[in-house]
Amino acid sequence: MRVWFCIPSKRPPEEANARLDEWRSMGYRLALWRDPGDPVIKCDMLLTGPYRGYHVAVNALVREVMARDASACWLVTGGDDMSPDPNHPPEQIAAECSEHFGGTYGVMQPVGDRFGAVRSICGSPWMGREFCRRIYGGKGPFFEGYYHMWGDEEMCEITKKLGILWQRPDLVHYHHHGAREKGLRKPMPHWMRVANDAYMTYRPLFLKRKRAGWPGYEPLPASSDGQD
């Protein structure tokens, strides 16, 4: 059973590796999306292409990992500014998730790091293979209509609605966010400004989808072999 950390990354290698080395050392496999021409970062799987947003990139990574690795039962996402839980190996967490859900049709979100609105979003979720295979009619774990934000909140709302969200305060994905890193403030790069500016742009879409009951989220039927 392998656990993959699947994220788009735009930071230069020396910055990204400060966090990615932690995931590597804990035993996670790394799947990265990088823009064409970006410096190479060591990983187990790399996808490149025109960047159409966080959710499109993560969905593509998840689909590719599942196609290549039949043992990838749990897939984690987040950002290259997050650390894995330092006290629990991925195999242990994966086994606990599979036991809790009776398979891999579910989402587990560590909420031990209380920074931000951690209980109202799935900002660094563990996503089960069957959840990724079935949700949104099989298109992938995230709604792709948002650019950078709001997809994590939609995932939280949908998984709560379906009764398949497990929030664990005993696990910590520490977010090294610039707002909490005292003395480390740097000029905001262009790609980060674009992502932040998209927050209000996509808020009306989120509210519209919420009022409509999240159209298109409906999952495919369970596997006929019962392995969900």
Side-chain angles (χ1 to χ4, degrees):
M1 180 187 298
R2 295 192 186 97
V3 181
W4 286 76
F5 185 50
C6 306
I7 60 166
S9 176
K10 186 61 180 173
R11 286 180 170 83
E14 61 273 14
E15 292 183 18
N17 281 325
R19 304 280 74 85
L20 296 179
D21 282 344
E22 298 173 347
W23 294 88
R24 294 186 188 99
S25 66
M26 289 294 293
Y28 293 83
R29 297 292 183 96
L30 297 185
L32 301 181
W33 182 288
R34 299 280 284 174
D35 287 342
D38 280 352
V40 174
I41 293 178
K42 179 184 176 182
C43 60
D44 301 286
M45 192 189 83
L46 174 67
L47 296 182
T48 63
Y51 185 70
R52 296 192 293 122
Y54 179 89
H55 311 96
V56 174
V58 172
N59 280 359
L61 289 166
V62 165
R63 289 193 298 266
E64 191 66 20
V65 166
M66 293 196 302
R68 296 189 192 187
D69 186 358
S71 71
C73 294
W74 289 91
L75 303 100
V76 189
T77 192
D80 58 8
D81 59 352
M82 285 185 171
S83 296
D85 184 277
N87 300 314
H88 302 82
E91 297 82 5
Q92 176 190 340
I93 299 174
E96 292 168 350
C97 288
S98 294
E99 180 180 4
H100 177 84
F101 291 109
T104 60
Y105 184 59
V107 170
M108 187 279 289
Q109 173 61 53
V111 295
D113 180 11
R114 298 180 181 180
F115 176 78
V118 65
R119 285 191 172 271
S120 63
I121 64 172
C122 289
S124 58
W126 284 63
M127 305 171 295
R129 185 184 186 95
E130 276 298 291
F131 172 78
C132 295
R133 185 188 72 81
R134 292 170 57 189
I135 203 68
Y136 291 105
K139 295 178 181 178
F142 285 106
F143 174 67
E144 295 186 351
Y146 309 116
Y147 181 73
H148 186 73
M149 301 172 187
W150 298 107
D152 51 5
E153 189 164 348
E154 178 164 329
M155 179 184 286
C156 187
E157 296 262 1
I158 287 172
T159 51
K160 284 180 178 179
K161 179 177 180 177
L162 293 171
I164 55 170
L165 176 62
W166 186 21
Q167 295 178 317
R168 291 188 59 174
D170 60 314
L171 298 179
V172 174
H173 284 173
Y174 187 88
H175 190 184
H176 299 264
H177 194 280
R180 73 195 306 185
E181 299 292 297
K182 296 180 179 179
L184 297 179
R185 287 297 187 93
K186 299 178 180 179
M188 186 178 293
H190 173 73
W191 59 267
M192 190 177 292
R193 290 198 302 272
V194 171
N196 287 346
D197 289 346
Y199 179 81
M200 292 307 297
T201 301
Y202 287 88
R203 184 172 184 267
L205 175 61
F206 174 83
L207 296 176
K208 179 181 178 180
R209 288 183 54 74
K210 184 173 184 176
R211 289 192 298 268
W214 314 111
Y217 86 91
E218 296 82 4
L220 294 174
S223 300
S224 58
D225 60 7
Q227 299 299 311
D228 60 347

Short mmCIF file of all heavy atoms in Angstrom, two decimals, residues 1-5 22-29 69 71-76 84-100 104 108 126 166 168 171 173:
data_model
loop_
_atom_site.label_atom_id
_atom_site.label_comp_id
_atom_site.label_asym_id
_atom_site.label_seq_id
_atom_site.Cartn_x
_atom_site.Cartn_y
_atom_site.Cartn_z
N MET A 1 0.85 -1.19 0.00
CA MET A 1 0.00 0.00 0.00
C MET A 1 0.88 1.24 0.00
O MET A 1 1.65 1.46 0.93
CB MET A 1 -0.92 0.01 1.23
CG MET A 1 -1.84 1.22 1.30
SD MET A 1 -2.76 1.33 2.85
CE MET A 1 -3.72 -0.17 2.78
N ARG A 2 0.79 2.03 -1.07
CA ARG A 2 1.57 3.26 -1.16
C ARG A 2 0.66 4.47 -0.99
O ARG A 2 -0.49 4.45 -1.40
CB ARG A 2 2.28 3.35 -2.51
CG ARG A 2 3.34 2.29 -2.75
CD ARG A 2 4.18 2.65 -3.96
NE ARG A 2 5.11 1.59 -4.30
CZ ARG A 2 4.89 0.67 -5.23
NH1 ARG A 2 3.77 0.71 -5.92
NH2 ARG A 2 5.78 -0.26 -5.50
N VAL A 3 1.22 5.51 -0.38
CA VAL A 3 0.52 6.78 -0.23
C VAL A 3 1.27 7.83 -1.04
O VAL A 3 2.50 7.98 -0.90
CB VAL A 3 0.42 7.21 1.24
CG1 VAL A 3 -0.34 8.53 1.36
CG2 VAL A 3 -0.28 6.13 2.07
N TRP A 4 0.55 8.54 -1.87
CA TRP A 4 1.14 9.55 -2.75
C TRP A 4 0.72 10.95 -2.30
O TRP A 4 -0.43 11.17 -1.94
CB TRP A 4 0.67 9.33 -4.18
CG TRP A 4 1.30 8.16 -4.87
CD1 TRP A 4 1.01 6.83 -4.68
CD2 TRP A 4 2.32 8.20 -5.88
NE1 TRP A 4 1.77 6.05 -5.50
CE2 TRP A 4 2.59 6.86 -6.26
CE3 TRP A 4 3.02 9.23 -6.51
CZ2 TRP A 4 3.53 6.53 -7.22
CZ3 TRP A 4 3.95 8.91 -7.47
CH2 TRP A 4 4.21 7.58 -7.81
N PHE A 5 1.68 11.87 -2.37
CA PHE A 5 1.43 13.29 -2.13
C PHE A 5 1.40 13.95 -3.50
O PHE A 5 2.42 13.99 -4.20
CB PHE A 5 2.53 13.87 -1.26
CG PHE A 5 2.31 15.30 -0.84
CD1 PHE A 5 1.11 15.71 -0.28
CD2 PHE A 5 3.33 16.25 -0.97
CE1 PHE A 5 0.91 17.02 0.12
CE2 PHE A 5 3.15 17.56 -0.57
CZ PHE A 5 1.93 17.95 -0.02
N GLU A 22 10.56 16.51 3.64
CA GLU A 22 9.88 15.93 4.81
C GLU A 22 8.94 14.81 4.37
O GLU A 22 8.86 13.76 5.03
CB GLU A 22 9.12 17.01 5.57
CG GLU A 22 10.02 18.10 6.13
CD GLU A 22 9.24 19.26 6.73
OE1 GLU A 22 8.02 19.34 6.50
OE2 GLU A 22 9.85 20.07 7.43
N TRP A 23 8.21 15.03 3.29
CA TRP A 23 7.31 13.99 2.79
C TRP A 23 8.11 12.79 2.29
O TRP A 23 7.73 11.64 2.54
CB TRP A 23 6.43 14.56 1.67
CG TRP A 23 5.48 15.62 2.12
CD1 TRP A 23 5.73 16.97 2.20
CD2 TRP A 23 4.14 15.45 2.58
NE1 TRP A 23 4.63 17.64 2.68
CE2 TRP A 23 3.64 16.74 2.92
CE3 TRP A 23 3.31 14.33 2.74
CZ2 TRP A 23 2.35 16.94 3.39
CZ3 TRP A 23 2.01 14.53 3.21
CH2 TRP A 23 1.55 15.81 3.54
N ARG A 24 9.21 13.05 1.60
CA ARG A 24 10.06 11.97 1.11
C ARG A 24 10.58 11.12 2.27
O ARG A 24 10.54 9.89 2.23
CB ARG A 24 11.24 12.53 0.33
CG ARG A 24 10.89 13.23 -0.97
CD ARG A 24 12.18 13.61 -1.72
NE ARG A 24 11.90 14.46 -2.88
CZ ARG A 24 12.02 15.77 -2.90
NH1 ARG A 24 12.41 16.42 -1.80
NH2 ARG A 24 11.76 16.46 -3.99
N SER A 25 11.09 11.80 3.30
CA SER A 25 11.72 11.07 4.41
C SER A 25 10.71 10.26 5.20
O SER A 25 11.08 9.25 5.82
CB SER A 25 12.44 12.06 5.34
OG SER A 25 11.52 12.93 5.98
N MET A 26 9.44 10.65 5.18
CA MET A 26 8.40 9.89 5.87
C MET A 26 7.93 8.69 5.06
O MET A 26 7.21 7.84 5.57
CB MET A 26 7.20 10.79 6.19
CG MET A 26 7.45 11.82 7.29
SD MET A 26 7.75 11.08 8.91
CE MET A 26 6.14 10.35 9.27
N GLY A 27 8.30 8.63 3.79
CA GLY A 27 7.95 7.48 2.97
C GLY A 27 6.84 7.70 1.96
O GLY A 27 6.38 6.75 1.32
N TYR A 28 6.41 8.95 1.79
CA TYR A 28 5.40 9.25 0.77
C TYR A 28 6.04 9.24 -0.62
O TYR A 28 7.20 9.63 -0.78
CB TYR A 28 4.78 10.63 1.01
CG TYR A 28 3.95 10.74 2.27
CD1 TYR A 28 4.57 10.99 3.50
CD2 TYR A 28 2.57 10.63 2.23
CE1 TYR A 28 3.82 11.12 4.66
CE2 TYR A 28 1.81 10.76 3.38
CZ TYR A 28 2.44 11.00 4.60
OH TYR A 28 1.71 11.13 5.75
N ARG A 29 5.29 8.84 -1.62
CA ARG A 29 5.68 9.04 -3.00
C ARG A 29 5.21 10.43 -3.43
O ARG A 29 4.15 10.89 -2.99
CB ARG A 29 5.04 7.98 -3.92
CG ARG A 29 5.50 6.55 -3.62
CD ARG A 29 6.96 6.35 -3.97
NE ARG A 29 7.40 5.00 -3.75
CZ ARG A 29 7.47 4.06 -4.70
NH1 ARG A 29 7.09 4.36 -5.94
NH2 ARG A 29 7.90 2.85 -4.42
N ASP A 69 -0.24 3.06 -10.62
CA ASP A 69 0.07 2.35 -9.38
C ASP A 69 -1.20 1.77 -8.77
O ASP A 69 -1.97 2.47 -8.12
CB ASP A 69 0.74 3.32 -8.39
CG ASP A 69 1.23 2.61 -7.13
OD1 ASP A 69 1.03 1.39 -7.00
OD2 ASP A 69 1.82 3.30 -6.27
N SER A 71 -1.44 -0.06 -6.28
CA SER A 71 -1.37 -0.11 -4.82
C SER A 71 -1.59 1.24 -4.18
O SER A 71 -1.54 1.35 -2.95
CB SER A 71 -0.01 -0.67 -4.38
OG SER A 71 1.02 0.27 -4.62
N ALA A 72 -1.85 2.29 -4.98
CA ALA A 72 -2.10 3.63 -4.43
C ALA A 72 -3.52 3.70 -3.93
O ALA A 72 -4.45 4.01 -4.68
CB ALA A 72 -1.84 4.69 -5.50
N CYS A 73 -3.70 3.40 -2.65
CA CYS A 73 -5.05 3.37 -2.07
C CYS A 73 -5.47 4.71 -1.49
O CYS A 73 -6.66 5.01 -1.42
CB CYS A 73 -5.12 2.29 -1.00
SG CYS A 73 -4.95 0.62 -1.65
N TRP A 74 -4.49 5.51 -1.04
CA TRP A 74 -4.80 6.83 -0.47
C TRP A 74 -3.88 7.86 -1.09
O TRP A 74 -2.68 7.62 -1.23
CB TRP A 74 -4.65 6.81 1.06
CG TRP A 74 -5.75 6.02 1.69
CD1 TRP A 74 -5.74 4.69 1.99
CD2 TRP A 74 -7.04 6.50 2.04
NE1 TRP A 74 -6.95 4.30 2.50
CE2 TRP A 74 -7.77 5.40 2.56
CE3 TRP A 74 -7.67 7.75 1.99
CZ2 TRP A 74 -9.09 5.52 3.00
CZ3 TRP A 74 -8.97 7.87 2.44
CH2 TRP A 74 -9.67 6.76 2.94
N LEU A 75 -4.46 8.98 -1.48
CA LEU A 75 -3.72 10.06 -2.13
C LEU A 75 -3.94 11.33 -1.33
O LEU A 75 -5.08 11.65 -0.95
CB LEU A 75 -4.18 10.22 -3.58
CG LEU A 75 -4.05 8.95 -4.43
CD1 LEU A 75 -5.40 8.25 -4.53
CD2 LEU A 75 -3.50 9.24 -5.80
N VAL A 76 -2.87 12.04 -1.07
CA VAL A 76 -2.90 13.25 -0.24
C VAL A 76 -2.58 14.44 -1.11
O VAL A 76 -1.75 14.36 -2.03
CB VAL A 76 -1.88 13.16 0.91
CG1 VAL A 76 -2.07 14.31 1.90
CG2 VAL A 76 -1.97 11.82 1.62
N PRO A 84 4.11 16.99 6.47
CA PRO A 84 3.31 15.83 6.86
C PRO A 84 3.29 15.66 8.37
O PRO A 84 4.14 16.24 9.07
CB PRO A 84 4.05 14.66 6.20
CG PRO A 84 5.48 15.11 6.20
CD PRO A 84 5.43 16.60 5.95
N ASP A 85 2.35 14.90 8.86
CA ASP A 85 2.36 14.58 10.29
C ASP A 85 3.67 13.86 10.60
O ASP A 85 4.00 12.85 9.96
CB ASP A 85 1.18 13.68 10.65
CG ASP A 85 1.10 13.43 12.14
OD1 ASP A 85 1.82 12.52 12.64
OD2 ASP A 85 0.35 14.13 12.83
N PRO A 86 4.44 14.36 11.59
CA PRO A 86 5.77 13.80 11.82
C PRO A 86 5.79 12.55 12.69
O PRO A 86 6.83 11.90 12.80
CB PRO A 86 6.49 14.95 12.54
CG PRO A 86 5.39 15.65 13.29
CD PRO A 86 4.17 15.55 12.41
N ASN A 87 4.66 12.21 13.28
CA ASN A 87 4.64 11.13 14.28
C ASN A 87 3.95 9.85 13.84
O ASN A 87 3.93 8.87 14.58
CB ASN A 87 3.96 11.65 15.56
CG ASN A 87 4.69 12.84 16.15
OD1 ASN A 87 5.91 12.85 16.28
ND2 ASN A 87 3.93 13.87 16.52
N HIS A 88 3.38 9.86 12.63
CA HIS A 88 2.66 8.69 12.15
C HIS A 88 3.07 8.41 10.71
O HIS A 88 2.85 9.25 9.84
CB HIS A 88 1.15 8.91 12.22
CG HIS A 88 0.65 9.22 13.60
ND1 HIS A 88 0.71 10.50 14.13
CD2 HIS A 88 0.09 8.44 14.55
CE1 HIS A 88 0.20 10.48 15.35
NE2 HIS A 88 -0.18 9.25 15.63
N PRO A 89 3.64 7.25 10.43
CA PRO A 89 4.04 6.93 9.06
C PRO A 89 2.82 6.81 8.15
O PRO A 89 1.72 6.48 8.61
CB PRO A 89 4.79 5.60 9.19
CG PRO A 89 4.30 5.01 10.47
CD PRO A 89 3.98 6.16 11.37
N PRO A 90 2.99 7.06 6.86
CA PRO A 90 1.84 7.04 5.96
C PRO A 90 1.11 5.70 5.91
O PRO A 90 -0.10 5.66 5.78
CB PRO A 90 2.44 7.41 4.60
CG PRO A 90 3.91 7.17 4.73
CD PRO A 90 4.24 7.44 6.16
N GLU A 91 1.86 4.61 6.02
CA GLU A 91 1.22 3.29 5.97
C GLU A 91 0.26 3.11 7.15
O GLU A 91 -0.80 2.51 7.00
CB GLU A 91 2.28 2.18 5.97
CG GLU A 91 3.19 2.17 4.77
CD GLU A 91 4.34 3.17 4.88
OE1 GLU A 91 4.48 3.80 5.95
OE2 GLU A 91 5.09 3.31 3.90
N GLN A 92 0.64 3.63 8.32
CA GLN A 92 -0.23 3.52 9.49
C GLN A 92 -1.51 4.34 9.29
O GLN A 92 -2.62 3.85 9.55
CB GLN A 92 0.49 4.01 10.74
CG GLN A 92 -0.39 4.02 11.99
CD GLN A 92 0.27 4.73 13.17
OE1 GLN A 92 1.50 4.90 13.20
NE2 GLN A 92 -0.52 5.16 14.13
N ILE A 93 -1.35 5.58 8.83
CA ILE A 93 -2.52 6.43 8.62
C ILE A 93 -3.43 5.82 7.57
O ILE A 93 -4.66 5.81 7.71
CB ILE A 93 -2.10 7.85 8.22
CG1 ILE A 93 -1.25 8.50 9.32
CG2 ILE A 93 -3.32 8.72 7.93
CD1 ILE A 93 -0.65 9.85 8.94
N ALA A 94 -2.85 5.31 6.49
CA ALA A 94 -3.64 4.70 5.42
C ALA A 94 -4.44 3.52 5.94
O ALA A 94 -5.63 3.36 5.62
CB ALA A 94 -2.74 4.28 4.27
N ALA A 95 -3.80 2.68 6.74
CA ALA A 95 -4.50 1.52 7.30
C ALA A 95 -5.64 1.95 8.21
O ALA A 95 -6.73 1.35 8.19
CB ALA A 95 -3.51 0.63 8.05
N GLU A 96 -5.41 2.99 9.00
CA GLU A 96 -6.46 3.49 9.88
C GLU A 96 -7.63 4.07 9.08
O GLU A 96 -8.80 3.89 9.46
CB GLU A 96 -5.88 4.54 10.83
CG GLU A 96 -4.90 3.96 11.84
CD GLU A 96 -4.10 5.02 12.59
OE1 GLU A 96 -4.16 6.21 12.20
OE2 GLU A 96 -3.41 4.66 13.57
N CYS A 97 -7.31 4.76 8.00
CA CYS A 97 -8.38 5.31 7.15
C CYS A 97 -9.19 4.20 6.51
O CYS A 97 -10.44 4.25 6.49
CB CYS A 97 -7.78 6.22 6.08
SG CYS A 97 -7.15 7.79 6.70
N SER A 98 -8.52 3.19 5.98
CA SER A 98 -9.23 2.08 5.35
C SER A 98 -10.11 1.35 6.35
O SER A 98 -11.23 0.93 6.02
CB SER A 98 -8.23 1.11 4.71
OG SER A 98 -7.54 1.72 3.64
N GLU A 99 -9.63 1.21 7.58
CA GLU A 99 -10.43 0.55 8.61
C GLU A 99 -11.64 1.42 8.98
O GLU A 99 -12.77 0.91 9.12
CB GLU A 99 -9.59 0.28 9.85
CG GLU A 99 -10.36 -0.40 10.97
CD GLU A 99 -9.51 -0.67 12.20
OE1 GLU A 99 -8.33 -0.26 12.22
OE2 GLU A 99 -10.03 -1.27 13.15
N HIS A 100 -11.42 2.71 9.11
CA HIS A 100 -12.50 3.61 9.51
C HIS A 100 -13.63 3.62 8.48
O HIS A 100 -14.81 3.58 8.84
CB HIS A 100 -11.95 5.03 9.68
CG HIS A 100 -12.99 6.06 10.01
ND1 HIS A 100 -13.45 6.29 11.29
CD2 HIS A 100 -13.69 6.93 9.21
CE1 HIS A 100 -14.37 7.24 11.28
NE2 HIS A 100 -14.53 7.65 10.03
N THR A 104 -11.92 2.48 0.79
CA THR A 104 -11.27 3.74 0.42
C THR A 104 -12.25 4.77 -0.13
O THR A 104 -11.83 5.73 -0.77
CB THR A 104 -10.15 3.49 -0.62
OG1 THR A 104 -10.72 2.92 -1.80
CG2 THR A 104 -9.08 2.56 -0.06
N MET A 108 -10.21 11.88 4.64
CA MET A 108 -9.77 12.18 5.99
C MET A 108 -8.96 13.47 5.96
O MET A 108 -8.03 13.60 5.17
CB MET A 108 -8.92 11.03 6.55
CG MET A 108 -8.55 11.20 8.03
SD MET A 108 -7.15 12.31 8.36
CE MET A 108 -5.78 11.32 7.74
N TRP A 126 -6.61 13.50 2.86
CA TRP A 126 -6.31 12.13 2.44
C TRP A 126 -7.55 11.65 1.68
O TRP A 126 -8.63 11.53 2.26
CB TRP A 126 -6.06 11.25 3.65
CG TRP A 126 -4.72 11.44 4.29
CD1 TRP A 126 -4.26 12.57 4.89
CD2 TRP A 126 -3.69 10.46 4.39
NE1 TRP A 126 -3.00 12.36 5.37
CE2 TRP A 126 -2.62 11.07 5.09
CE3 TRP A 126 -3.57 9.13 3.99
CZ2 TRP A 126 -1.44 10.39 5.36
CZ3 TRP A 126 -2.41 8.45 4.27
CH2 TRP A 126 -1.35 9.07 4.94
N TRP A 166 -13.83 12.38 7.65
CA TRP A 166 -13.27 12.09 8.97
C TRP A 166 -12.25 13.17 9.28
O TRP A 166 -11.22 13.26 8.64
CB TRP A 166 -12.63 10.71 8.97
CG TRP A 166 -12.14 10.22 10.30
CD1 TRP A 166 -12.54 10.64 11.54
CD2 TRP A 166 -11.17 9.18 10.53
NE1 TRP A 166 -11.88 9.93 12.53
CE2 TRP A 166 -11.04 9.03 11.93
CE3 TRP A 166 -10.41 8.38 9.67
CZ2 TRP A 166 -10.16 8.09 12.49
CZ3 TRP A 166 -9.55 7.45 10.23
CH2 TRP A 166 -9.42 7.30 11.62
N ARG A 168 -9.54 14.55 11.83
CA ARG A 168 -8.73 13.97 12.91
C ARG A 168 -7.87 15.03 13.60
O ARG A 168 -6.88 15.49 13.03
CB ARG A 168 -7.84 12.86 12.35
CG ARG A 168 -8.61 11.64 11.91
CD ARG A 168 -7.69 10.48 11.54
NE ARG A 168 -6.83 10.08 12.63
CZ ARG A 168 -6.02 9.02 12.58
NH1 ARG A 168 -5.97 8.26 11.48
NH2 ARG A 168 -5.25 8.71 13.62
N LEU A 171 -3.91 14.35 14.18
CA LEU A 171 -2.92 14.42 13.10
C LEU A 171 -2.71 15.88 12.70
O LEU A 171 -3.66 16.67 12.67
CB LEU A 171 -3.39 13.61 11.89
CG LEU A 171 -3.59 12.10 12.10
CD1 LEU A 171 -4.08 11.46 10.82
CD2 LEU A 171 -2.28 11.44 12.57
N HIS A 173 -0.99 18.44 9.78
CA HIS A 173 -0.30 18.88 8.57
C HIS A 173 0.01 20.35 8.80
O HIS A 173 -0.84 21.22 8.56
CB HIS A 173 -1.18 18.72 7.33
CG HIS A 173 -1.31 17.31 6.84
ND1 HIS A 173 -2.18 16.97 5.83
CD2 HIS A 173 -0.66 16.17 7.20
CE1 HIS A 173 -2.07 15.66 5.60
NE2 HIS A 173 -1.17 15.17 6.41
#
